[in-house]
Amino acid sequence: MDVLALYGLLVLTTLPPLVPNSALLVSAGVLASRGQAFLPLILVIVAGSALLGDLLMYLAARRFGGPVRAWMRRNPRRRALLEWTSGRIQRYGLPFVIAVRFLPSGRIAGALASGVLRYPLRKYALGAAIAEASWASYSVGLGYLGSAAAGRPLYAAGIGFGVSCVVAAVGAAIQWAARRRTLRASSQESGENEGGGAHENDGPERGCGGRPSSATAL
């Protein structure tokens, strides 16, 4: 593969979200370890194009927060993901903006939730830059170090892709467990609130003439 074509392909597969590029990033690392590509330039291209994509999603969600929120809420899974991500960004701030990048669908959810919440642009850009630099180093580094250790490109690509799948599976398990725990806690809290209200009031408060009072009607 021509080196310039490789760099262009890295941009095209990294800038937009949800484009599978793990194998390509590992292969780029393998080529860099063999001296056929320049490793620092690969890292800059991968991290820079991913950061640009994140900022575009953030700005779009910030500008069109209403339509984005409506689109996310049409699907129960997207709605749950948006609410879960938004709650943790509000609670943990910058550390979660960085960490969410490594969860399944976290790149999109983190950018959209941050934009809808109007999370400060500078803080989001800093968190996204740290996350994408770490992600680029990890993804390309698997191929680079794997090639140096195994000595064979195919073995290195297999190792890198396998490790990427394992990390993705672990991230999905962590995300699932955290969301399940949050839903369980919310269900228990709503159950306790409903139980307490049932004991306190056997029925709606009545005003003059047997009609519900204005406070209860609201």
Side-chain angles (χ1 to χ4, degrees):
M1 179 185 294
D2 183 77
V3 177
L4 292 179
L6 171 65
Y7 293 152
L9 192 57
L10 288 173
V11 173
L12 293 177
T13 58
T14 306
L15 178 65
L18 295 180
V19 176
N21 58 2
S22 298
L24 179 62
L25 297 179
V26 171
S27 299
V30 171
L31 292 176
S33 71
R34 301 175 65 186
Q36 298 177 355
F38 189 45
L39 179 62
L41 183 56
I42 290 176
L43 295 176
V44 169
I45 289 174
V46 172
S49 58
L51 176 60
L52 178 59
D54 293 349
L55 291 175
L56 291 176
M57 286 189 290
Y58 167 87
L59 293 173
R62 181 168 179 147
R63 175 64 179 83
F64 306 101
V68 170
R69 192 182 294 108
W71 175 76
M72 293 289 284
R73 288 179 175 174
R74 287 196 196 107
N75 181 283
R77 185 178 179 276
R78 291 199 302 260
R79 181 175 65 250
L81 182 61
L82 177 65
E83 293 174 354
W84 182 81
T85 305
S86 299
R88 269 143 188 79
I89 290 175
Q90 291 176 315
R91 182 174 181 181
Y92 300 109
L94 187 61
F96 187 78
V97 171
I98 298 172
V100 73
R101 173 62 178 86
F102 298 91
L103 297 178
S105 302
R107 182 185 179 193
I108 297 177
L112 296 183
S114 298
V116 168
L117 291 171
R118 302 187 73 83
Y119 189 76
L121 175 58
R122 290 184 180 181
K123 286 187 177 181
Y124 176 77
L126 175 61
I130 294 173
E132 297 301 359
S134 303
W135 171 77
S137 300
Y138 151 77
S139 301
V140 178
L142 284 176
Y144 187 89
L145 297 177
S147 179
R152 295 185 180 181
L154 289 180
Y155 288 176
I159 293 172
F161 188 71
V163 172
S164 297
C165 291
V166 170
V167 171
V170 171
I174 293 173
Q175 186 181 37
W176 177 83
R179 287 176 58 189
R180 187 177 179 84
R181 186 170 60 250
T182 301
L183 292 175
R184 189 184 301 116
S186 299
S187 300
Q188 291 176 352
E189 183 178 350
S190 359
E192 291 174 358
N193 291 337
E194 291 176 1
H199 287 297
E200 291 174 3
N201 299 304
D202 293 332
E205 295 179 2
R206 299 284 172 177
C208 296
R211 294 181 180 179
S213 67
S214 59
T216 305
L218 292 175

